[in-house]
């Protein structure tokens, strides 16, 4: 058996409650008593468990984070969350939502065991109802990148519709009047927003996008590559492509290279997100920057405010997108 709090209390000649109060810095305790308890801890080599200390404090100093998977695309958000929490003295417990009901059961056990003080959630496909129940039962929850589902609890989102508008205005400014769009999954609100903003700006310029120019995609490289290759084979004429995320836009670049087209002279390409991949494609990808780091930091701070019961806690945050111009849509004048 390991050393227990009862052993420390017996060695110091105090109660277990007093030892607990010393460990957690609660209440006014005589300095001599504190010294006796600390001496007993040192002599016995007692190491208090994080769970025991957290229980006494009424907090675990841990935050849970539920993500679809551990894919690199989330790295900016996760790193911002980790840095922000560490600066505030909190740890992070990662949970993935890649086994459906089994993942939900595992999450439920963690919540029942009070393993963390609050939960950050990234894209809870099929689990939003359950997450809402947890929030309504008292668990502080913040949703990151809400896919325009607008839950009944705090969220951090970005300006997807404005991002679509920014992509359209940029392409119009460089004279591209026959765009092709490779969307994200139809069920995602962000897909509808990005497409809606893009189509509206072109409509205001007197250009209607017919259905042949809108390809339903899935945010994946290979499907986007094959879809654009098929559009070329079908004789669809276009001078620009707006991919709804950067992996999709990278697939577009691959299809255009495969067809012998020059980018951006023949076809300009714009992506969305500005993940690390965007800087490494050839040419480097013009994209709409979704502020991943800022979203992660804002979500962590928003959740901590709600965990601490701050009266100034914001209900939600929306962080704007921005256009990042690179070689896939910019051709310098060499004359």
């Amino acid at each position: 058996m390991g050393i227990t709090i009862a052993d420390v209390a017996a060695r110091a000649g105090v109660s277990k409650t007093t030892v607990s109060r010393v460990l957690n810095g609660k209440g006014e305790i005589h300095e001599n008593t504190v010294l006796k308890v600390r001496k007993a801890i040192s002599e016995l080599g007692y190491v208090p468990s994080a769970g025991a200390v957290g229980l006494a404090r009424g907090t675990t100093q841990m935050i849970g984070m539920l993500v679809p998977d551990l894919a690199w695309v989330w790295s900016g958000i996760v790193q911002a969350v980790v840095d922000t929490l560490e600066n505030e003295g909190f740890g992070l417990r990662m949970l993935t939502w890649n086994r459906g009901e089994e993942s939900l059961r595992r999450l439920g056990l963690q919540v029942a065991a009070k393993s963390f003080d609050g939960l950050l959630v990234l894209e809870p496909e099929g689990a939003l109802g359950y997450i809402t129940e947890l929030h309504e039962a008292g668990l502080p929850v913040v949703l990151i990148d809400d896919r325009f589902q607008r839950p009944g609890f705090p969220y951090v989102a970005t300006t997807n519709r404005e991002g679509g508008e920014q992509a359209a205005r940029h392409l119009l400014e460089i004279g591209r009047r026959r765009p092709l769009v490779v969307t994200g999954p139809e069920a995602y609100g962000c897909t509808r927003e990005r497409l809606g903003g893009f189509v509206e700006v072109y409509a205001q310029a007197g250009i209607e996008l017919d259905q042949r120019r809108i390809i339903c995609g899935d945010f994946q490289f290979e499907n986007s590559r094959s879809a654009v290759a098929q559009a070329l084979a079908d004789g669809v004429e276009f001078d620009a492509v707006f991919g709804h995320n950067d992996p999709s836009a990278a697939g577009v670049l691959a299809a255009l290279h495969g067809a012998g087209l020059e980018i951006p002279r023949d076809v300009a390409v714009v992506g969305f997100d500005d993940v690390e991949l965007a800087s490494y494609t050839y040419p480097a990808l013009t994209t709409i920057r979704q502020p991943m780091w800022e979203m992660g930091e804002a979500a962590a701070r928003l959740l901590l405010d709600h965990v601490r019961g701050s009266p100034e806690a914001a209900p939600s945050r929306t962080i704007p997108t921005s256009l990042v111009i690179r070689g896939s849509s910019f051709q310098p004048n060499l004359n």
Side-chain angles (χ1 to χ4, degrees):
M1 293 287 290
I3 304 300
T4 67
I5 196 170
D7 298 323
V8 174
R11 174 65 69 92
V14 299
S15 69
K16 290 190 292 184
T17 300
T18 298
V19 174
S20 178
R21 289 168 62 197
V22 171
L23 288 171
N24 291 282
K26 283 192 169 184
E28 293 185 7
I29 306 172
H30 195 280
E31 185 177 352
N32 287 341
T33 302
V34 174
L35 291 174
K36 284 195 298 182
V37 170
R38 288 178 177 169
K39 181 180 179 183
I41 289 172
S42 176
E43 291 174 348
L44 294 172
Y46 173 67
V47 179
S49 71
V53 174
L55 220 55
R57 288 177 176 165
T59 174
T60 65
Q61 298 297 108
M62 293 290 293
I63 294 297
M65 186 171 188
L66 181 65
V67 299
D69 50 51
L70 297 179
W72 58 268
V73 72
W74 315 119
S75 61
I77 288 177
V78 174
Q79 189 61 58
V81 167
V82 169
D83 289 354
T84 303
L85 293 179
E86 285 185 348
N87 287 338
E88 296 292 328
F90 279 73
L92 180 67
R93 188 183 300 274
M94 292 291 292
L95 301 159
T96 60
W97 163 239
N98 57 5
R99 294 192 177 185
E101 292 300 321
E102 181 182 340
S103 296
L104 285 185
R105 285 193 295 272
R106 190 165 60 246
L107 171 62
L109 291 173
Q110 297 272 4
V111 173
K114 300 186 184 301
S115 297
F116 40 77
D117 301 323
L119 183 66
L120 294 167
V121 184
L122 188 62
E123 287 189 13
E125 291 306 313
L128 187 58
Y130 182 66
I131 301 300
T132 301
E133 289 177 13
L134 293 178
H135 170 72
E136 291 174 347
L139 179 69
V141 180
V142 170
L143 182 61
I144 306 173
D145 192 11
D146 71 333
R147 300 298 193 198
F148 201 61
Q149 296 178 80
R150 298 298 186 264
F153 52 83
Y155 60 85
V156 172
T158 192
T159 51
N160 284 294
R161 185 177 185 88
E162 288 83 348
E165 293 172 356
Q166 289 167 328
R169 283 195 291 269
H170 172 63
L171 290 174
L172 284 168
E173 284 169 1
I174 61 174
R176 307 306 167 110
R177 301 180 64 82
R178 294 173 295 151
L180 190 72
V181 182
V182 181
T183 74
E186 289 182 302
Y188 286 0
C190 66
T191 295
R192 297 191 295 273
E193 285 199 304
R194 292 172 191 180
L195 179 61
F198 189 87
V199 168
E200 182 178 358
V201 169
Y202 266 90
Q204 290 171 352
I207 302 169
E208 299 293 333
L209 270 66
D210 61 55
Q211 286 305 307
R212 293 185 76 204
R213 298 188 181 280
I214 300 174
I215 300 172
C216 182
D218 61 358
F219 284 157
Q220 302 299 316
F221 174 95
E222 183 54 37
N223 285 348
S224 297
R225 186 202 63 76
S226 60
V228 171
Q230 187 60 54
L232 289 167
D234 291 342
V236 179
E237 296 184 356
F238 53 90
D239 57 9
V241 183
F242 174 36
H244 273 195
N245 75 347
D246 292 339
S248 293
V252 171
L253 292 176
L256 297 175
H257 285 309
L261 295 170
E262 187 173 328
I263 307 162
R265 187 192 67 185
D266 299 323
V267 181
V269 180
V270 177
F272 203 110
D273 283 340
D274 196 26
V275 296
E276 190 174 8
L277 168 71
S279 298
Y280 298 150
T281 59
Y282 178 75
L285 189 61
T286 291
T287 189
I288 303 302
R289 181 176 182 269
Q290 182 171 208
M292 301 278 192
W293 182 278
E294 292 89 337
M295 290 170 70
E297 180 184 27
R301 294 196 181 283
L302 182 59
L303 182 60
L304 290 178
D305 283 346
H306 284 277
V307 164
R308 292 163 172 164
S310 170
E312 298 178 357
S316 293
R317 287 280 308 277
T318 300
I319 302 175
T321 56
S322 57
L323 173 67
V324 179
I325 300 175
R326 298 192 180 98
S328 69
S329 71
F330 174 71
Q331 191 170 30
N333 186 350
L334 301 177
N335 294 330

